[in-house]
Amino acid sequence: MPQDPVSAARRGERRLGEGHPALAGTHLASYLGNLEARPDDSPRVDRLLLRLDRVVDLRPPKDFVVLGCGPRPQLIKTLIARGHRVVGVEPVPSFVDAANEYLAGATEVRPGAAEALPVESSSQDIILCESVLEHVDSPRAALGEMYRALRPGGIAYLVTTNRLQVNVRGRNGEFNVPFFNWFPRLVRESYVFRHLHHEPDLANYSLRPAVHRFTFAQLCELGRDSGFGQFYSLVDLLSPRDPSIARGSQRRWILGPIQRSPWLRALALTQVGHTIVMLKRPSAP
């Protein structure tokens, strides 16, 4: 007698397409738990604005998009307090609701994805995309959307994973697997499968785990494909007055040679190439 092809499902066994049941139920709680351990965001935002001001004029008010703002967007609240206009974009529905409740009407957090930003073309001055690009389905489509949304002369600020970084803790990105960023791509994909279906704590219960790993050169290539014309690294944004440099004489001494030498700059970018600013040409149509 032929076996019923859906008998396993009827017995209550989980289909692979459903993923692990703990992902949706635990993601928000896990994310908020991580946020509780973070310090106040204001000093970090001030450092960020100081660095970005070396690329474009950031005197308020400017129009910002904070992409992947999360359920408790301190960054948005701080930018508003600095006099800027801000829109948050978040793909996880429960995060959208939590973020709008947290901001209490100060601005709007809209549901959307990096590949389809819910803002008009050429309407934004700055797009902040921190710890997002490694999660998206298509990095190239996401950068194309950022280019579309920015005004000529606008910038996209991205912080993402670094394929080459040597992390002293043996980790890179959100995967709790030592030296994950150094694994061959096929092995990384196998860990992604394991996370989504069997061990959701491998990537902190993320519904969209960090599947992409980049080098600084790859980020520049993706940016050029999308139309961006100029690119700046964290090394380029720093100055001797930056708080992270001013407090150490050795850092002040080495910054100048790194900024002047292409070879030293390239060497530094193997470790800090996860941060990039992409400029939309001022003369762009």
Side-chain angles (χ1 to χ4, degrees):
M1 184 174 181
Q3 186 179 4
D4 184 345
V6 295
S7 60
R10 287 175 176 169
R11 290 197 303 267
E13 295 181 8
R14 176 166 48 91
R15 293 186 177 92
L16 285 173
E18 297 171 358
H20 196 283
L23 289 173
T26 313
H27 190 206
L28 179 58
S30 176
Y31 196 103
L32 291 176
N34 290 334
L35 289 180
E36 292 294 339
R38 297 182 185 179
D40 175 60
D41 212 30
S42 298
R44 185 187 72 85
V45 175
D46 290 335
R47 289 195 300 271
L48 171 62
L49 295 178
L50 177 67
R51 293 168 183 175
L52 295 183
D53 194 63
R54 299 195 69 199
V55 182
V56 295
D57 182 2
L58 282 188
R59 286 175 294 182
K62 298 295 181 184
D63 291 302
F64 279 78
V65 165
V66 177
L67 184 53
C69 63
R72 192 173 295 168
Q74 294 183 28
L75 174 58
I76 291 180
K77 185 174 285 189
T78 304
L79 287 171
I80 292 173
R82 301 295 186 271
H84 298 290
R85 298 180 291 261
V86 191
V87 171
V89 178
E90 173 55 52
V92 180
S94 61
F95 283 19
V96 174
D97 296 338
N100 280 315
E101 182 178 351
Y102 174 79
L103 293 169
T107 190
E108 182 184 11
V109 173
R110 303 172 184 174
E115 298 93 333
L117 296 176
V119 296
E120 296 181 0
S121 298
S122 301
S123 63
Q124 304 299 316
D125 298 303
I126 301 100
I127 295 177
L128 302 182
C129 178
E130 298 183 86
S131 301
V132 171
L133 196 66
E134 63 270 26
H135 296 268
V136 303
D137 293 328
S138 172
R140 183 169 275 103
L143 287 170
E145 268 293 274
M146 294 182 212
Y147 184 87
R148 176 193 67 80
L150 286 169
R151 297 184 176 107
I155 58 174
Y157 172 80
L158 296 95
V159 180
T160 185
T161 50
N162 184 352
R163 180 75 176 87
L164 302 176
Q165 186 178 28
V166 178
N167 194 309
V168 294
R169 297 180 180 177
R171 297 175 182 176
N172 182 259
E174 69 189 358
F175 270 86
N176 300 313
V177 180
F179 305 106
F180 181 79
N181 59 310
W182 288 92
F183 293 169
R185 188 167 183 174
L186 185 58
V187 177
R188 297 202 308 268
E189 286 290 349
S190 294
Y191 270 101
V192 171
F193 175 85
R194 187 74 188 171
H195 162 76
L196 290 174
H197 298 91
H198 302 290
E199 295 182 56
D201 59 332
L202 280 176
N204 302 320
Y205 299 91
S206 175
L207 293 164
R208 298 171 66 94
V211 298
H212 304 293
R213 295 293 183 276
F214 306 97
T215 66
F216 187 82
Q218 287 171 336
L219 290 171
C220 292
E221 181 180 3
L222 287 168
R224 288 191 179 95
D225 285 347
S226 301
F228 290 96
Q230 295 169 223
F231 306 92
Y232 306 93
S233 70
L234 180 60
V235 168
D236 309 313
L237 302 179
L238 294 174
S239 75
R241 298 186 303 276
D242 191 281
S244 65
I245 301 299
R247 64 172 177 260
S249 58
Q250 290 182 336
R251 294 181 180 183
R252 292 196 302 271
W253 177 81
I254 195 62
L255 179 63
I258 289 176
Q259 291 179 331
R260 291 190 296 270
S261 168
W263 286 94
L264 290 178
R265 181 178 183 271
L267 181 61
L269 291 180
T270 63
Q271 302 308 302
V272 297
H274 54 280
T275 299
I276 187 169
V277 174
M278 301 185 179
L279 174 70
K280 184 173 181 177
R281 292 185 180 92
S283 59

